[in-house]
Amino acid sequence: MQQGKEAAEGLNFGIVYLMLTPFAVGGYIFYRWWKSEKADKKAAGKS
């Protein structure tokens, strides 16, 4: 029974890892977009 528990924990870790990777990439893209929009609004306000 112990081997089944280890396999399940490994599978759960793999699922979490695969789920977090796209969120991290999407978060980085969103942050860069948000920072760019903020800079564009600031530059438009100063002109």
Side-chain angles (χ1 to χ4, degrees):
M1 199 50 113
Q2 187 67 12
Q3 289 178 344
K5 185 177 179 183
E6 289 176 7
E9 288 175 355
L11 182 62
N12 286 342
F13 177 77
I15 290 169
V16 170
Y17 178 78
L18 290 173
M19 186 178 69
L20 288 179
T21 303
F23 280 107
V25 171
Y28 176 74
I29 291 170
F30 175 77
Y31 172 74
R32 294 291 304 247
W33 171 80
W34 176 72
K35 192 175 174 183
S36 173
E37 286 292 313
K38 192 171 152 183
D40 289 346
K41 287 181 182 178
K42 191 174 185 181
K46 286 188 175 182
S47 297

